Amino acid sequence: MGRPHKGTRKCISVRAPLQQHSFYEARAEELGLELGDYALLVMARAYNLDVPDYILKKLDPEKLRAHDERYAVCDSSDSEFSISA
């Protein structure tokens, strides 16, 4: 069986610094996402955009909550993100 269709999309190519790539890869794996889907999730949420359904279907709400608490802390006063180790 092939992969489910994800709809009409356009490519965004990103090259991460070597020391950050493994971090992003591990975060995607924690959530059960492909790296590209993880990047799209983070970007959509950073700008208050809708997360595509095909990504939402893959997400476990508990894992996402733990991810948010651990990595993406947003200061609502200035909308800046900080990454904690």
Side-chain angles (χ1 to χ4, degrees):
M1 185 168 125
R3 290 181 164 189
H5 183 59
K6 294 181 177 181
T8 304
R9 300 175 298 149
K10 190 169 182 174
C11 180
I12 297 174
S13 181
V14 177
R15 294 185 185 271
L18 209 49
Q19 63 273 27
Q20 293 179 9
H21 187 275
S22 59
F23 176 86
Y24 301 137
E25 226 171 24
R27 300 301 75 80
E29 189 175 316
E30 285 175 4
L31 294 176
L33 297 175
E34 298 168 17
L35 186 54
D37 288 348
Y38 176 73
L40 185 57
L41 169 71
V42 172
M43 288 188 297
R45 294 177 82 210
Y47 290 100
N48 253 351
L49 299 173
D50 292 335
V51 175
D53 288 340
Y54 65 86
I55 293 176
L56 293 175
K57 289 177 185 176
K58 296 178 185 180
L59 290 172
D60 174 335
E62 288 303 315
K63 287 183 180 178
L64 183 58
R65 188 174 0 271
H67 173 274
D68 288 350
E69 289 174 1
R70 186 168 179 196
Y71 300 108
V73 180
C74 180
D75 178 345
S76 59
S77 65
D78 60 10
S79 297
E80 292 292 321
F81 283 88
S82 63
I83 303 295
S84 56

